[in-house]
Amino acid sequence: MKVSYHGHSVVKIETNGTTILIDPFITGNAGTDLDAASVQADVILLTHGHGDHVGDTVEIAKRNNALVIASAELADVLSWEGVRTHAMSIGGAYTFGFGRVKLTQAFHSSSYVNPETKTIVYTGMPTGILFTAEGRTIYHAGDTGLFGDMKIIGERNRIDLAFLPIGDNHTMGPEDAAVAADWLQAKQVVPIHFNTFPFIEQVPVYFISLLKEGVGTVLESGESISLVSVKGCTQAKDGGA
Ligand code: NI
Ligand code: MN
């Protein structure tokens, strides 16, 4: 399984011939190497409804006939735009043909903001994502502050790779994200959601320095990590956290 980072909170997972994009915010993302007009995806996973996460979802999904998986209200809103969706809710998991998706809690907000009409459309609870395929589990925390149940997520899942926001202001900063990494017991940790905008400027190597030796990796946009398939083990360590 190849897992690549593409700036802000954009992660691409390639597993068994399926390409999955998480939070494909490309247009307006100065830090991405992707092109919204040509990026390929079979599946799009969304953590919440904010513009810097939904991003180019509708256009990419329509062009690729991709399945968009999101929390219930966000899936509803996107289905009204003509996108193929699968609605889920926090705490629920579903095993798709390409892997298992579970939505976890996140402490943040989730909405579509329309500045022209000065309206805000509520898009349900913000989430994190646990994705398991080839016996490997990836955790994408979405946008969130630190919360104590990250310990439980870590106890109940063998997390091979975690993407954690470090930008501060809207999410955890480096110190809180380092505590999160410890509680999650993730084998590898990659910082996300920093330096894209004012107020979330960080030095990622400082965050890495707060982690246990060898755990943290800064990925530049377009760089990837390969997770070797673990045969005969396709579930979380307790069989279904
Ligand atoms: Ni957000
Ligand atoms: Mn965000």
Side-chain angles (χ1 to χ4, degrees):
M1 179 158 50
K2 183 177 165 191
V3 187
S4 51
Y5 176 60
H6 300 279
H8 203 55
S9 296
V10 186
V11 171
K12 181 161 78 175
I13 300 170
E14 293 161 89
T15 172
N16 290 326
T18 300
T19 299
I20 300 155
L21 281 177
I22 302 178
D23 287 358
F25 164 56
I26 297 169
T27 303
N29 179 355
T32 194
D33 63 307
L34 295 180
D35 174 15
S38 63
V39 67
Q40 300 292 309
D42 302 299
V43 176
I44 296 173
L45 303 179
L46 297 176
T47 60
H48 64 295
H50 289 158
D52 62 316
H53 297 261
V54 172
D56 300 280
T57 292
V58 171
E59 193 253 306
I60 296 168
K62 284 184 176 173
R63 184 167 45 77
N64 291 279
N65 192 30
L67 179 66
V68 179
I69 301 167
S71 67
E73 289 82 358
L74 180 53
D76 281 343
V77 169
L78 291 169
S79 73
W80 298 336
E81 304 213 27
V83 167
R84 208 157 56 87
T85 58
H86 179 108
M88 297 183 71
S89 297
I90 288 173
Y94 187 77
T95 302
F96 298 84
F98 55 87
R100 180 175 182 269
V101 176
K102 183 170 186 176
L103 297 187
T104 63
Q105 71 196 58
F107 281 86
H108 190 63
S109 60
S110 183
S111 61
Y112 256 5
V113 177
N114 185 333
E116 283 167 27
T117 56
K118 294 186 181 168
T119 50
I120 295 179
V121 176
Y122 164 74
T123 49
M125 294 287 282
T127 68
I129 295 166
L130 283 164
F131 176 71
T132 304
E134 303 181 40
R136 297 292 190 177
T137 295
I138 297 163
Y139 174 60
H140 187 298
D143 281 0
T144 186
L146 181 66
F147 55 89
D149 279 4
M150 284 179 177
K151 284 184 191 172
I152 294 172
I153 294 173
E155 282 168 17
R156 303 203 65 216
N157 299 274
R158 187 179 48 222
I159 298 171
D160 294 288
L161 175 57
F163 290 91
L164 302 180
I166 66 159
D168 224 339
N169 195 75
H170 291 296
T171 68
M172 299 186 284
E175 290 86 3
D176 281 358
V179 172
D182 189 41
W183 287 350
L184 291 161
Q185 303 173 51
K187 294 195 187 80
Q188 292 186 82
V189 172
V190 173
I192 61 173
H193 209 274
F194 63 94
N195 290 357
T196 325
F197 308 116
F199 310 116
I200 62 169
E201 283 161 20
Q202 299 294 337
V203 177
V205 290
Y206 166 64
F207 166 68
I208 302 299
S209 76
L210 302 175
L211 303 176
K212 284 185 193 138
E213 182 95 32
V215 168
T217 304
V218 177
L219 291 183
E220 301 298 329
S221 186
E223 289 187 337
S224 63
I225 287 175
S226 287
L227 296 175
V228 177
S229 171
V230 182
K231 290 221 168 84
C233 174
T234 57
Q235 295 290 311
K237 68 180 173 188
D238 66 351

PDB file of all heavy atoms in Angstrom, residues 48 50 52-53 108-109 143, ligand 1:
ATOM      1  N   HIS A  48     -14.553  16.361   7.153  1.00  0.00           N
ATOM      2  CA  HIS A  48     -15.591  17.327   7.545  1.00  0.00           C
ATOM      3  C   HIS A  48     -15.852  18.291   6.403  1.00  0.00           C
ATOM      4  O   HIS A  48     -15.221  18.195   5.354  1.00  0.00           O
ATOM      5  CB  HIS A  48     -15.229  18.033   8.851  1.00  0.00           C
ATOM      6  CG  HIS A  48     -14.009  18.901   8.825  1.00  0.00           C
ATOM      7  ND1 HIS A  48     -12.734  18.414   8.623  1.00  0.00           N
ATOM      8  CD2 HIS A  48     -13.859  20.242   8.976  1.00  0.00           C
ATOM      9  CE1 HIS A  48     -11.866  19.391   8.677  1.00  0.00           C
ATOM     10  NE2 HIS A  48     -12.512  20.532   8.869  1.00  0.00           N
ATOM     11  N   HIS A  50     -15.564  21.627   5.909  1.00  0.00           N
ATOM     12  CA  HIS A  50     -14.876  22.896   5.645  1.00  0.00           C
ATOM     13  C   HIS A  50     -14.198  22.891   4.272  1.00  0.00           C
ATOM     14  O   HIS A  50     -13.732  21.850   3.793  1.00  0.00           O
ATOM     15  CB  HIS A  50     -13.843  23.188   6.743  1.00  0.00           C
ATOM     16  CG  HIS A  50     -14.476  23.549   8.048  1.00  0.00           C
ATOM     17  ND1 HIS A  50     -13.834  23.428   9.257  1.00  0.00           N
ATOM     18  CD2 HIS A  50     -15.719  24.039   8.332  1.00  0.00           C
ATOM     19  CE1 HIS A  50     -14.647  23.832  10.235  1.00  0.00           C
ATOM     20  NE2 HIS A  50     -15.794  24.198   9.694  1.00  0.00           N
ATOM     21  N   ASP A  52     -11.388  23.823   3.142  1.00  0.00           N
ATOM     22  CA  ASP A  52     -10.000  23.358   2.999  1.00  0.00           C
ATOM     23  C   ASP A  52      -9.886  21.842   3.169  1.00  0.00           C
ATOM     24  O   ASP A  52      -8.770  21.313   3.258  1.00  0.00           O
ATOM     25  CB  ASP A  52      -9.070  24.103   3.971  1.00  0.00           C
ATOM     26  CG  ASP A  52      -9.417  23.875   5.422  1.00  0.00           C
ATOM     27  OD1 ASP A  52     -10.616  23.913   5.767  1.00  0.00           O
ATOM     28  OD2 ASP A  52      -8.490  23.658   6.227  1.00  0.00           O
ATOM     29  N   HIS A  53     -11.045  21.151   3.165  1.00  0.00           N
ATOM     30  CA  HIS A  53     -11.049  19.679   3.226  1.00  0.00           C
ATOM     31  C   HIS A  53     -11.904  19.086   2.112  1.00  0.00           C
ATOM     32  O   HIS A  53     -11.453  18.201   1.391  1.00  0.00           O
ATOM     33  CB  HIS A  53     -11.489  19.200   4.620  1.00  0.00           C
ATOM     34  CG  HIS A  53     -10.524  19.640   5.662  1.00  0.00           C
ATOM     35  ND1 HIS A  53      -9.544  18.832   6.169  1.00  0.00           N
ATOM     36  CD2 HIS A  53     -10.327  20.867   6.227  1.00  0.00           C
ATOM     37  CE1 HIS A  53      -8.791  19.526   7.015  1.00  0.00           C
ATOM     38  NE2 HIS A  53      -9.252  20.765   7.066  1.00  0.00           N
ATOM     39  N   HIS A 108     -13.999  19.716  16.696  1.00  0.00           N
ATOM     40  CA  HIS A 108     -13.824  20.784  15.706  1.00  0.00           C
ATOM     41  C   HIS A 108     -15.227  21.242  15.333  1.00  0.00           C
ATOM     42  O   HIS A 108     -16.143  21.132  16.166  1.00  0.00           O
ATOM     43  CB  HIS A 108     -13.047  20.174  14.515  1.00  0.00           C
ATOM     44  CG  HIS A 108     -12.557  21.144  13.506  1.00  0.00           C
ATOM     45  ND1 HIS A 108     -11.646  22.127  13.797  1.00  0.00           N
ATOM     46  CD2 HIS A 108     -12.834  21.285  12.183  1.00  0.00           C
ATOM     47  CE1 HIS A 108     -11.395  22.822  12.692  1.00  0.00           C
ATOM     48  NE2 HIS A 108     -12.118  22.332  11.699  1.00  0.00           N
ATOM     49  N   SER A 109     -15.447  21.707  14.125  1.00  0.00           N
ATOM     50  CA  SER A 109     -16.794  22.011  13.648  1.00  0.00           C
ATOM     51  C   SER A 109     -16.873  21.534  12.208  1.00  0.00           C
ATOM     52  O   SER A 109     -15.885  21.026  11.666  1.00  0.00           O
ATOM     53  CB  SER A 109     -17.089  23.510  13.762  1.00  0.00           C
ATOM     54  OG  SER A 109     -16.169  24.249  12.986  1.00  0.00           O
ATOM     55  N   ASP A 143      -9.389  17.572  11.297  1.00  0.00           N
ATOM     56  CA  ASP A 143      -9.088  18.757  12.120  1.00  0.00           C
ATOM     57  C   ASP A 143      -9.611  18.467  13.512  1.00  0.00           C
ATOM     58  O   ASP A 143     -10.792  18.178  13.688  1.00  0.00           O
ATOM     59  CB  ASP A 143      -9.818  19.998  11.580  1.00  0.00           C
ATOM     60  CG  ASP A 143      -9.138  20.617  10.374  1.00  0.00           C
ATOM     61  OD1 ASP A 143      -8.090  20.102   9.942  1.00  0.00           O
ATOM     62  OD2 ASP A 143      -9.665  21.628   9.871  1.00  0.00           O
TER      63      ASP A 143
HETATM   64 NI    NI B   1     -11.773  22.496   9.548  1.00  0.00          NI
END
